[in-house]
């Protein structure tokens, strides 16, 4: 069969796939947005040239290395440095001065993908004179992207856009001072990496592991259904200290969640709230 003619996965097949992933490997995707999940599984069927759903299932059951690829492709890892620069400008001007009053700062980037936003935060902390007393936790369900975040090496072709984002966020220095260019890659300064803890963490099944002054989970919840969104927001609420800050993506909101009454907007358009209760 031509790969472009691969059959579209059926609803009952998707149910079976999700059940097997949860029971055999502990990956629970059952509350991910259904349409998005289906699109990504269908894409894998075509790209990896599986003639049938049964063949895909067989590979997942018997090939641990393919499970790794499957998780990498199913989880969404789209990110960039200083993404939505105005949100970073507000963090720089309204959130970091409050964090500066703490003797020690703990920040959690949940669903960090390859870590560009973690390094963005580290740069702002450095410029605010706060990096030395900060610890940034970078977590994601996908171990491959967590390893990329740990290394702090990103494609050189993105640096022009990242530099523009940095300036738009209020940065005033030479962005290139923060990395070393080598061939097609940019390696960010090790001083940032020394203030980071990278780890796999599953927002579906794992519990809170610390108390933070700032939690960022940007453009992750849009891939969850309402049940899982509420579950993740509850986890963030349990992990955030009183008067701490929560930052979501531009298309995400806490307005209709069970935690909404505990938070006051700092910048509603940029989706930044402060815990007041």
């Amino acid at each position: 069969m031509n790969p472009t003619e691969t059959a579209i996965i059926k609803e009952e097949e998707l149910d079976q796939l999700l059940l097997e992933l949860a029971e055999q490997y502990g990956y629970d995707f059952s509350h991910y947005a259904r349409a998005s999940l289906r699109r990504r599984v269908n894409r894998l069927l075509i790209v990896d040239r599986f003639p049938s759903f049964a063949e895909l299932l067989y590979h997942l059951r018997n090939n641990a290395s393919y499970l790794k690829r499957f998780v990498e492709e199913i989880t969404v890892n789209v990110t960039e440095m200083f993404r939505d620069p105005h949100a970073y400008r507000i963090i720089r001007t309204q959130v970091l001065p409050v964090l500066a009053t703490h003797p020690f700062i703990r920040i959690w980037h949940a669903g960090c993908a390859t870590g560009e936003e973690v390094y963005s935060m580290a740069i702002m902390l450095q410029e605010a004179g706060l990096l030395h007393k900060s610890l940034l936790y970078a977590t994601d369900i996908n171990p491959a992207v967590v390893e990329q975040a740990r290394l702090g090496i990103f494609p050189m072709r993105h640096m022009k856009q990242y530099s523009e984002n940095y300036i738009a966020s209020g940065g005033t220095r030479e962005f290139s001072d923060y990395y070393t260019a080598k061939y097609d890659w940019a390696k960010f300064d090790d001083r940032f990496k020394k203030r980071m803890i990278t780890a796999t963490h599953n927002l579906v099944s794992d519990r809170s592991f610390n108390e933070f002054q700032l939690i960022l989970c940007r453009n992750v919840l849009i891939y969850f259904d309402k049940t899982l969104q509420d579950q993740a927001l509850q986890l963030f609420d349990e992990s955030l200290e009183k008067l701490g800050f929560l930052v979501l993506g531009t298309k995400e909101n806490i307005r209709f969640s069970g935690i909404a009454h505990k938070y006051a907007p700092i910048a509603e358009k940029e989706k930044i709230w402060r815990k007041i209760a």
Side-chain angles (χ1 to χ4, degrees):
M1 180 184 287
N2 186 302
T4 60
E5 297 171 355
T6 303
I8 300 299
I9 188 171
K10 299 172 183 174
E11 281 298 316
E12 59 269 23
E13 291 173 336
L14 185 58
D15 288 338
Q16 183 184 357
L17 177 64
L18 297 178
L19 184 63
E20 294 236 4
L21 286 167
E23 289 186 347
Q24 189 167 340
Y25 298 110
Y27 286 107
D28 185 357
F29 294 108
S30 60
H31 289 290
Y32 278 53
R34 193 85 174 182
S36 176
L37 192 59
R38 233 181 130 181
R39 277 196 305 273
R40 280 174 270 158
V41 174
N42 280 326
R43 180 182 173 278
L44 264 183
L45 281 168
I46 294 168
V47 171
D48 290 352
R49 308 175 72 89
F50 288 114
S52 67
F53 167 73
E55 191 74 17
L56 168 65
L57 202 58
Y58 176 84
H59 266 70
L60 282 171
R61 286 171 176 163
N62 298 284
N63 188 334
S65 63
Y66 189 75
L67 171 70
K68 180 175 179 287
R69 168 167 168 73
F70 182 87
V71 172
E72 287 174 8
E73 292 297 320
I74 291 303
T75 53
V76 179
N77 301 301
V78 179
T79 187
E80 62 184 52
M81 296 192 78
F82 296 94
R83 177 167 52 171
D84 307 318
H86 194 60
Y88 277 92
R89 183 181 283 273
I90 291 171
I91 293 170
R92 188 191 291 273
T93 58
Q94 297 186 41
V95 175
L96 293 191
V98 176
L99 298 189
T101 65
H102 292 260
F104 193 76
I105 303 166
R106 289 181 299 276
I107 299 172
W108 180 18
H109 286 262
C112 68
T114 43
E116 282 87 338
E117 295 194 48
V118 190
Y119 283 85
S120 303
M121 180 62 66
I123 288 170
M124 291 203 305
L125 289 166
Q126 170 71 20
E127 292 182 353
L130 302 175
L131 185 64
H132 69 284
K133 64 171 185 174
S134 300
L135 204 54
L136 295 92
Y137 293 75
T139 68
D140 199 281
I141 190 176
N142 183 340
V145 298
V146 169
E147 176 60 17
Q148 277 187 265
R150 187 187 68 79
L151 293 173
I153 300 174
F154 305 110
M156 192 66 202
R157 66 181 183 274
H158 297 321
M159 291 304 118
K160 182 177 183 295
Q161 179 63 57
Y162 294 172
S163 178
E164 291 171 0
N165 289 355
Y166 163 75
I167 293 167
S169 77
T172 58
R173 304 186 186 182
E174 287 293 330
F175 187 65
S176 57
D177 289 346
Y178 294 118
Y179 64 83
T180 303
K182 189 170 184 181
Y183 303 111
D184 296 330
W185 300 94
K187 182 182 185 299
F188 278 75
D189 199 303
D190 283 346
R191 67 184 138 165
F192 302 132
K193 194 160 53 175
K194 288 174 182 174
R195 306 307 303 171
M196 296 178 190
I197 294 175
T198 55
T200 54
H201 182 275
N202 189 335
L203 291 174
V204 179
S205 58
D206 293 341
R207 301 178 67 86
S208 175
F209 56 91
N210 213 324
E211 191 173 47
F212 301 92
Q213 288 86 39
L214 171 60
I215 296 176
L216 303 97
C217 184
R218 307 186 71 236
N219 305 299
V220 176
L221 300 187
I222 54 174
Y223 298 104
F224 294 173
D225 69 9
K226 182 67 165 61
T227 300
L228 190 49
Q229 287 177 5
D230 288 342
Q231 186 177 321
L233 289 171
Q234 186 61 45
L235 174 65
F236 298 151
D237 183 59
E238 293 168 3
S239 305
L240 195 64
E241 70 174 35
K242 188 176 180 182
L243 301 180
F245 297 89
L246 175 65
V247 184
L248 301 181
T250 54
K251 293 188 172 85
E252 298 163 334
N253 216 311
I254 66 170
R255 186 181 303 159
F256 303 109
S257 72
I259 70 167
H261 65 285
K262 299 182 181 181
Y263 291 78
I266 297 298
E268 201 141 16
K269 184 181 175 185
E270 288 75 22
K271 306 302 168 65
I272 303 173
W273 295 270
R274 192 173 191 188
K275 188 174 183 177
I276 55 173

